Amino acid sequence: IFSHTNSTPKRHLLTDKHISHALVDREGNLWLGTESDGLYFLPNVDVKVYNTQYGFLPQNKIYSLYLDKSTQNLLAGLDNGSWVTYNFSRNEFLHMPSLPLRRVLTIDRSPSGPTWIGGDGGLCVVEDRCSQFIHLPNLAIKTLIPDDQHGIYIGTSGNTFQLNGQNIPSEISKRQRRSFANYFFQHRTRLLNQRTYALLKEDTRLWIGTTTGIYISEEEEVKPFLEDGIQQPYRVASICRSPDSSIWIGTNSHGLLRIKNMEVVQRLQEP
């Protein structure tokens, strides 16, 4: 990773680590998940490491991070269906029940409902420590966004789709497993047939980052994001929105882009 501001030069950090996910907590600290060295915590310039060596984690492969705003706990997705929560007030990790996934690639929570967890081969819905699993063979769920009004948006290794409805079942029990799976398959709508790695909901607009470029879904229509009338072949890895309403696009092919008012206004790339 690197740090960069308008007033300070670019600084490279953890140059030998393969970072899979990053987020900033309520105190402004940076958390970094790596694919082989555990979880890094960067308060200002100090670095703390949470991994198997110090007994914090069951393994060192971190694939996803999520800050639960309702509990202010950090959730981390690992390998072999493992996931943990970190309680800031008690400074401790809680190992959660293992899920029927290989890699836990994405975690998010509905504002008024369960926690959604996606990974290789399926989707898990967790509430009050009970879970349901929806098997999606030959698909890896890369990203998801719950939306109380419109259901949930899901990006996979094959496509982007929406699970429709305001009344998605939230009472999770084994007795409801079959009915919930039926609900899932009956109410999903395919939005785009592209491998999707990143999603961002911005008011009525859904940004979709794929391996072939950027798309926008709005008013039930999906269109490519164009620059001078052309869609650029960005391999999108991540999308986020900053407080000034800029859309930041991290790519595996063209560096970092900043979009403002539907135009690319800044590009950060290695020389």
Side-chain angles (χ1 to χ4, degrees):
I1 67 169
F2 65 87
S3 63
H4 175 79
T5 67
N6 292 330
S7 58
T8 61
K10 181 169 62 176
R11 293 188 304 145
H12 289 269
L13 304 171
L14 307 179
T15 55
D16 60 338
K17 309 302 180 185
H18 190 175
I19 296 169
S20 59
H21 208 100
L23 65 77
V24 177
D25 65 23
R26 60 181 177 176
E27 304 296 336
N29 302 309
L30 180 63
W31 293 79
L32 302 170
T34 73
E35 292 194 0
S36 60
D37 296 286
L39 185 61
Y40 281 76
F41 172 60
L42 280 69
N44 299 320
V45 296
D46 297 324
V47 178
K48 296 182 180 179
V49 183
Y50 300 100
N51 58 23
T52 57
Q53 180 179 353
Y54 303 103
F56 292 106
L57 300 177
Q59 54 184 271
N60 288 334
K61 294 182 178 180
I62 311 291
Y63 292 108
S64 55
L65 296 173
Y66 174 69
L67 184 63
D68 190 334
K69 295 179 181 179
S70 63
T71 63
Q72 291 300 324
N73 289 339
L74 177 74
L75 281 64
L78 291 75
D79 205 8
N80 297 320
S82 295
W83 61 300
V84 298
T85 64
Y86 174 74
N87 186 292
F88 286 90
S89 60
R90 295 197 298 265
N91 188 30
E92 68 178 9
F93 283 90
L94 177 64
H95 296 195
M96 306 302 291
S98 183
L99 302 170
L101 300 169
R102 188 167 67 84
R103 297 174 300 171
V104 178
L105 298 174
T106 181
I107 304 174
D108 209 324
R109 178 171 179 158
S110 300
S112 61
T115 300
W116 298 80
I117 303 177
D120 294 312
L123 175 68
C124 292
V125 189
V126 181
E127 189 169 43
D128 296 330
R129 291 181 173 253
C130 295
S131 65
Q132 289 196 45
F133 176 66
I134 299 170
H135 184 50
L136 301 173
N138 303 319
L139 281 181
I141 294 182
K142 302 289 189 178
T143 181
L144 54 83
I145 300 178
D147 186 321
D148 272 356
Q149 293 185 346
H150 302 95
I152 180 171
Y153 300 97
I154 299 175
T156 78
S157 55
N159 51 55
T160 306
F161 62 87
Q162 177 184 359
L163 179 58
N164 306 298
Q166 297 182 8
N167 298 314
I168 294 177
S170 60
E171 297 296 328
I172 309 300
S173 71
K174 292 182 179 179
R175 290 176 298 177
Q176 295 174 315
R177 185 179 302 275
R178 180 175 298 177
S179 62
F180 187 83
N182 291 339
Y183 180 94
F184 177 86
F185 288 108
Q186 291 172 5
H187 290 78
R188 66 174 180 169
T189 300
R190 185 168 298 180
L191 301 178
L192 182 67
N193 288 324
Q194 294 287 346
R195 179 174 294 191
T196 303
Y197 279 81
L199 296 171
L200 174 70
K201 192 68 164 58
E202 182 196 25
D203 301 323
T204 61
R205 184 179 296 149
L206 178 69
W207 292 81
I208 305 173
T210 77
T211 54
T212 61
I214 306 167
Y215 293 82
I216 295 174
S217 175
E218 191 170 18
E219 297 180 351
E220 299 184 355
E221 186 177 7
V222 179
K223 295 181 179 180
F225 175 76
L226 304 179
E227 298 176 52
D228 298 325
I230 300 174
Q231 183 185 30
Q232 299 297 325
Y234 301 131
R235 295 178 56 203
V236 179
S238 183
I239 306 176
C240 70
R241 182 182 180 183
S242 56
D244 66 349
S245 298
S246 293
I247 303 298
W248 292 83
I249 311 287
T251 77
N252 291 325
S253 56
H254 295 77
L256 183 64
L257 314 174
R258 182 165 74 93
I259 298 174
K260 187 79 170 179
N261 298 324
M262 300 301 291
E263 294 186 1
V264 176
V265 297
Q266 189 177 11
R267 300 175 190 270
L268 294 172
Q269 291 180 281
E270 287 289 346

